[in-house]
Amino acid sequence: MSSDYGTPEDRYSDISAIYDDLYDFTAETEETVSFLAKLASGGRVLELGVGTGRVALPLAERGCDVTGVDASPDMLRMLRTKDPGRKVKALRSDMTAPEVDGEFDVIYAVWNSFCELHTQERQVACVASAARLLRDGGSLVLETSVAHRALTEQRPISVGPFTGLNAATFQLMRYDQLDQIVEYRHVFLNADGVKVMASTHRLVHLTELDLMARLGDLELTARHGDWTGGPFHAASARHVSVYTKTGRAPSC
């Protein structure tokens, strides 16, 4: 498989305008925001891969001081159109080394934003940066697909929503189990022609992620199967993991 997955600027230049329609998380946004708001208790929060602000905006409306970083200028542009009052401090920055000041009570990445980092080295750097930016007792919250489930499903094609009588969407997928990479091609067919958009994830195994956290002085304090706090078990397709900064020296 190719290792040239494009930059965030490339991958999201087209997809940003339809991102909220392509990935409809409406049903669980309230659960996500409630979970994070309770954990933050009105404190400072940082979203890694803030995108169009699906979570950051309602979290700011709950009274949290929200900063969001994203590497895609197009996604940030969409966020700003939804946030004319600048409730969210949105910055263009690499989430492996966010250019932000001060400490945070909660740092989080929802869905597979963390998996937008395509190498283990970049994922390790992201966790280490988050650990440095957290106050003692603060939490890093990561939501990702469960790697072994996604990498063994082997669904080369999945059909998307029918958006009209003359339109259809589907996804093509391919897997590199050695590097834990899943590549997607989102294909849109309508009367105007064909449009293809790309996205790529490096899925991370739970034991691997837990070790990254330990290296950064973060301790796993909770792992759920969803944002309601439901149990995580062997059949879970994703996880919501909470890592707490202990203030102790890291050990492995």
Side-chain angles (χ1 to χ4, degrees):
M1 291 178 69
S2 170
S3 59
D4 181 13
Y5 306 122
T7 66
E9 293 88 343
D10 298 330
R11 294 194 303 274
Y12 288 98
S13 60
D14 291 327
I15 208 171
S16 59
I18 61 169
Y19 184 85
D20 290 337
D21 294 324
L22 182 62
Y23 297 106
D24 184 8
F25 295 103
T26 304
E28 63 180 52
T29 296
E30 175 63 26
E31 297 167 353
T32 307
V33 172
S34 294
F35 183 102
L36 293 167
K38 182 178 180 180
L39 196 61
S41 298
R44 293 192 76 208
V45 301
L46 172 64
E47 179 167 358
L48 305 174
V50 68
T52 64
R54 173 182 69 91
V55 173
L57 283 169
L59 194 56
E61 291 168 358
R62 295 281 190 100
C64 292
D65 180 357
V66 183
T67 298
V69 297
D70 204 290
S72 166
D74 296 288
M75 295 291 273
L76 290 173
R77 194 174 299 116
M78 294 302 298
L79 167 57
R80 291 186 181 106
T81 64
K82 296 161 63 176
D83 184 25
R86 298 296 192 266
K87 298 184 185 75
V88 174
K89 301 180 186 70
L91 306 169
R92 185 180 175 188
S93 183
D94 188 331
M95 62 180 169
T96 63
E99 298 175 10
V100 294
D101 297 320
E103 294 183 326
F104 293 86
D105 298 283
V106 173
I107 298 176
Y108 67 93
V110 298
W111 190 226
N112 278 320
S113 294
F114 181 75
C115 298
E116 291 279 349
L117 302 171
H118 298 151
T119 66
Q120 185 186 70
E121 290 77 13
R122 284 177 58 75
Q123 290 178 344
V124 169
C126 179
V127 173
S129 291
R132 288 192 295 270
L133 290 167
L134 282 171
R135 65 166 178 80
D136 286 350
S139 298
L140 172 64
V141 185
L142 299 175
E143 176 192 20
T144 77
S145 298
V146 176
H148 75 271
R149 286 284 307 277
L151 290 167
T152 56
E153 281 182 351
Q154 297 293 326
R155 294 178 295 115
I157 299 177
S158 66
V159 178
F162 291 100
T163 56
L165 292 176
N166 298 309
T169 66
F170 63 92
Q171 289 182 343
L172 303 174
M173 290 167 279
R174 64 178 182 175
Y175 304 79
D176 180 345
Q177 298 204 36
L178 291 179
D179 289 329
Q180 298 161 213
I181 294 287
V182 182
E183 285 191 87
Y184 302 89
R185 295 297 181 269
H186 311 279
V187 183
F188 303 84
L189 306 171
N190 58 37
D192 296 324
V194 180
K195 196 173 192 66
V196 180
M197 301 181 189
S199 61
T200 305
H201 292 152
R202 182 192 185 267
L203 301 178
V204 56
H205 292 289
L206 291 176
T207 51
E208 182 185 17
L209 185 60
D210 290 349
L211 180 57
M212 292 180 191
R214 291 178 63 191
L215 290 170
D217 183 25
L218 299 173
E219 178 181 310
L220 179 66
T221 51
R223 175 163 287 147
H224 307 291
D226 56 42
W227 288 102
T228 67
F232 177 80
H233 46 73
S236 296
R238 61 173 170 165
H239 67 96
V240 176
S241 296
V242 181
Y243 299 96
T244 302
K245 186 171 182 176
T246 63
R248 299 191 298 267
S251 62
C252 296

